[in-house]
Amino acid sequence: MNIRPGLLKTFLAVARCRNITRAAAEIHLAQSSVSDQIQLLENDLGTRLFTRSRTSLELTAAGAVMQRYAEEILALLDEARAAVQTAADQPARRLTIGTLETIASTTMPGWLAAFQGAHPDVSVQMKIAGSGTLMQLLASGEIDMACCFERGALDERFFKRSLSLEPLVLIAAPDRPLPGHDLAALAAQRFVATEVGCIYRYLFDQAFAEAGLVAPQLAAEVDSMATIVRLVAAGAGLALVPRLAIADMLDGGKLVEMPWPAPNRTASLVAIWRRRRTQPPALRQFVAVAEATAMPLRSGDARLPRAISSLS
């Protein structure tokens, strides 16, 4: 078997995107090159890795097995590179961080400024994606760390550190009559929501389900927080969003906010990275800066140990 890391990265991109065109755009290759690499990998393995449905590519049973091994192989190569560089006293001068659009436009600029001020020799690359894609990129070693909102338990491959709790609020256009402040009243309203899989959508759906209510009708389902905010300001409906994403709009009077009448009123912002024997020094340094500059967790909320030297 003669499988190069580049072939595995291309395969994982197609597995994530379920589409040759989108995968090619993500990894900056021509569509023909992506198709050729997938065919080469399939020929080498002697089996089909994808089947084509009406709307997308789907992994075969063999493709699903290959996806797990490809992630492990690339992650192990990345770990080996970091360990060798550390042993040779040549720490990596590049850090790749994956994050959500909301965090990239609000929290991340302050973190990056503080980090680069303390460590100007480290180059930072940022990739913006949804939570599901970020975890896939992290599993394959294509990013060093993901900064996103916590949703559920992680498997044993990952380690996380909580950085802050971000309030969730309901937003509406200023001239829109406000509904009653309970979930039953909100269930009759129209909402603009993120796509299924996003933490805000998860908390939104969970609140109505746990209250025994049918979820509100959606005016639109959007994968961009900026677009959601603009639609709400134009009167398309209400939305559940982290307050950090709309602070400027609130100050400018373009939106009004209401408290979210559900038990889950905050989202935990976390840094997640892979467990490995040797962590890149730049990763430890960035986590330290983020912890020092992030809004503290409120009293009563458990905080993970701050000992950066204990990163797993």
Side-chain angles (χ1 to χ4, degrees), residues 173-306:
D175 57 352
R176 181 188 177 101
L178 300 181
H181 296 300
D182 60 52
L183 287 173
L186 291 173
Q189 302 296 312
R190 290 171 65 84
F191 275 76
V192 181
T194 50
E195 295 178 318
V196 173
C198 172
I199 179 61
Y200 325 125
R201 178 65 179 274
Y202 171 75
L203 294 174
F204 175 81
D205 291 338
Q206 181 189 49
F208 290 100
E210 291 182 349
L213 297 168
V214 176
Q217 182 178 0
L218 297 184
E221 191 176 67
V222 185
D223 64 357
S224 165
M225 183 59 62
T227 301
I228 289 175
V229 170
R230 289 194 292 269
L231 287 172
V232 172
L238 307 177
L240 176 67
V241 299
R243 197 179 191 281
L244 63 84
I246 44 89
D248 292 344
M249 298 283 281
L250 292 174
D251 293 341
K254 297 180 180 179
L255 293 170
V256 294
E257 68 172 305
M258 300 164 282
W260 174 231
N264 291 329
R265 298 183 180 181
T266 59
S268 179
L269 178 56
V270 296
I272 305 173
W273 56 91
R274 299 187 312 281
R275 295 183 184 274
R276 48 189 175 184
R277 284 161 289 190
T278 302
Q279 293 290 354
L283 173 59
R284 299 196 299 270
Q285 293 159 355
F286 186 88
V287 173
V289 168
E291 284 199 311
T293 57
M295 182 182 298
L297 294 174
R298 297 176 180 179
S299 61
D301 293 309
R303 189 175 184 107
L304 292 171
R306 294 180 57 90

Side-chain angles (χ1 to χ4, degrees), residues 108-119 289-290 293:
M108 194 60 69
W111 289 355
L112 286 177
F115 176 73
Q116 291 176 336
H119 306 283
V289 168
T293 57

Side-chain angles (χ1 to χ4, degrees), residues 47-119:
T47 186
R48 295 282 297 278
L49 300 175
F50 295 95
T51 58
R52 185 177 296 279
S53 70
R54 293 179 59 187
T55 57
S56 67
L57 295 174
E58 300 297 334
L59 286 167
T60 63
V65 171
M66 187 62 198
Q67 182 180 29
R68 294 194 296 272
Y69 278 99
E71 290 175 345
E72 292 178 11
I73 290 168
L74 290 177
L76 186 59
L77 284 173
D78 182 65
E79 180 177 342
R81 184 179 298 109
V84 169
Q85 289 173 336
T86 299
D89 197 23
Q90 296 176 342
R93 299 302 182 187
R94 183 186 180 97
L95 182 67
T96 304
I97 301 171
T99 188
L100 304 174
E101 174 199 15
T102 304
I103 299 170
S105 62
T106 56
T107 306
M108 194 60 69
W111 289 355
L112 286 177
F115 176 73
Q116 291 176 336
H119 306 283

Side-chain angles (χ1 to χ4, degrees), residues 5 11 15 21 72 75 86 101 118 120 134 140 156 158 163 169 179 193 196 205 209 211 233 271 279 301:
F11 164 72
T21 302
E72 292 178 11
T86 299
E101 174 199 15
L134 290 178
S140 64
E156 68 280 356
F158 303 110
L163 300 173
V169 296
V196 173
D205 291 338
Q279 293 290 354
D301 293 309

